[in-house]
Amino acid sequence: MAHLDQPITAEDVEWVFRAILNRPVNNDEWKAKIVGSGVKIGDFMTSVRRSPELVARVIREAGATLPSPQRIEDQAFRLPGHLSITPARPARFLLIGSCLMDSWPGVITAAEPGVSISRITFNNAAPLPPMTTAEAKTYDFQILQIPVRSVLPEVGLMSIKGGDLAGYQALFDQACRQMKANLEAIAAYNTRYGIPSYLLSFYTPMQNPLGRAQKRYCLSNMVYFIEELNRRLYEEAARFRNLTVIDSDGIIDTFGKKYFQDDFISHFTHGSIATGLDMPGDQGRLEPIGNVDELYAPQVGRVILSFYREALALRKAEQQNDAVKLVIFDLDDTLWRGVAAEADDHGGELVEGWPLGVLEAASYLWRRGILLAIVSKNDEATARSIWKKAYRGRFPLENFASVKINWQPKAENIAAILAEVNLLPDSVLFVDDNPVERAAIREAFPGIRTMDAPLAEWRRILLWAPELQRAVITDEAVARTEMIKAQIEREAVRSEMSHEEFLASLGIEIVPHVVRDGADKRFQRCFELLNKTNQFNTTGRRWAPAEMEALFAEGGCLIALDVSDKFTSYGITGVVIVRRDTVEQFVLSCRVFGMGVEQAAMAVAQRHIGGTMRGLIQPTEKNRLSLGLYETLGFKAGEGGAWVLPEGRLEVPGHISLSAA
């Protein structure tokens, strides 16, 4: 080759392309232009090294993405982190599944330093190794994978004719039986010790192995076969407490199945990840077997990491860490396009596209039991009229717990809403298009969260952020908006009477229920209250399911208080934890503060204990409201936060009636 400062020739162009881009020049006309330009060989080599083609190839081979200050990385796409407050503690967990998961611990610990993983290989419904109760308590959770090969062996599958529907049905029934046996075996630590468990669903093949044109919804199509098997898996998993199925396909599809699973390389019941094929005996082939990394550029590590982070997100929803309980929306350029009051047309264009998407996301929050409110600087009558015309009954304003449309500063309106719903700012998200308004609200309410991401991210954050998710949607959650509106109406009545007259007028009724195990239909609501209540919470303790199981095993119980008055039924709004002669914890929803429910609850607990009664108090940053409970009722302070009722009987206030369950 000539010196680099010589004009380039056609042969030089070909040499540079093959040396740097590993391919020939595909355009002879372009090559002739390069030669005719008189460019020097060295300059041409520099331009090729900087070409987008080479940059993209290097980045792809390194498993990275093109740098962009705003680009949403794959991991953050599915699990938005915008609303997170508390730094996650490195987890210690069990990973139980086939040998095809052996690479998972290395991938996860490399990306998440401090994570501790215990690995157990599982196949064919084999029993898990022995474990002590003390050891089980050291794990935060476990991730479980039933190998599809243990459920659907090739010997039963590969010789069935495509039209043998009865054969496929028999195979499916057998697979369901095998799946049930494997589930019971792999979930043994969950059953025995209550370890929170996340079970991966089976990966569905990318295409119907019988062919694209064949029947879609037929068991001879392995895509449908596995979909139906997953449906049965969800049904069987529902029998276990504290076990959640992770939608494996949903995670893999975020990246693309071709970047993770190997059913286009090996038999689909292998259930493995896209990786190298070489095994002993392949070295003597006439031609190389092919490099999977070069052919398909898999991104296995990213997908594995997403499975782990999905489990963390589910844990966060279960424990209600950093939970958002109220979302406050602006109107202009937030729930409709532009300043609607100045628009000539209040028809579909005002809300079509992204506004309707944001409102639909809000409707799902409402269905989860998250409160919604509106704070907008507008004329109220005009804004309400525009809402009706633009949204045409899709989601009426009555579904918002509070609507403040006026010309007052937004901070004043938000303060009024927080008082109405009795929430602290750190439980609230404020969504407004104006950065000045958001900054003012953050200044007025330290701890409040604001939607600072670009509008194109709003819907994804509202629907997918773990802080807005709920592990279980209870009846009380579904009715939350109506209960809050009834509470606001109740407070309006209160302002017109003395406190005693007001309480006497309410007709308060409490139905106590004793919950003795996690199978009780009221347990999930009690567990939710214990793990999300801050202000009236005598110890502030958050409970793990395994700790609840231990409480029940020792004879402890929960006393659930179902409260109603003439305005509404509030559902279970109080929980008392009783172990032997001690009230270990008492939580009460803000919806029934100041109604005498506290005294009634302790009277019910005393009757249950039947003798000397003790209560525990542990101050936290947020539970000031509950700290005077026992002193007010005549308890005497003891050691270690314990209060003792020396004698006497606690009475239910006269304005409250107790009813049998």
Side-chain angles (χ1 to χ4, degrees), residues 149-197:
R149 207 172 196 176
S150 297
V151 170
L152 187 63
E154 296 86 11
V155 67
L157 170 64
M158 294 178 68
S159 295
I160 299 180
K161 294 181 179 180
D164 185 4
L165 299 185
Y168 279 104
Q169 183 63 57
L171 181 66
F172 179 76
D173 293 340
Q174 178 186 0
C176 289
R177 290 191 294 271
Q178 290 290 101
M179 179 266 292
K180 183 176 181 180
N182 275 269
L183 177 57
E184 290 174 350
I186 202 171
Y189 297 152
N190 168 276
T191 304
R192 194 170 303 138
Y193 305 113
I195 298 178
S197 306

Side-chain angles (χ1 to χ4, degrees), residues 326-330 374-377 404 406 408-418 424-452:
L326 166 68
V327 181
I328 302 174
F329 291 92
D330 178 37
I374 287 176
V375 169
S376 173
K377 289 182 178 179
K404 307 288 186 187
N406 51 49
Q408 295 175 343
K410 290 187 177 181
E412 293 183 11
N413 284 322
I414 290 177
I417 291 174
L418 295 181
L424 299 173
D426 62 3
S427 297
V428 180
L429 170 64
F430 177 56
V431 183
D432 191 304
D433 70 293
N434 190 331
V436 176
E437 292 284 10
R438 298 197 303 269
I441 295 306
R442 286 194 298 268
E443 180 71 23
F445 303 99
I448 199 169
R449 280 166 276 187
T450 57
M451 186 70 86
D452 297 318

Side-chain angles (χ1 to χ4, degrees), residues 325-337:
K325 302 174 185 178
L326 166 68
V327 181
I328 302 174
F329 291 92
D330 178 37
L331 286 179
D332 291 334
D333 261 335
T334 300
L335 287 181
W336 54 46
R337 186 177 282 106

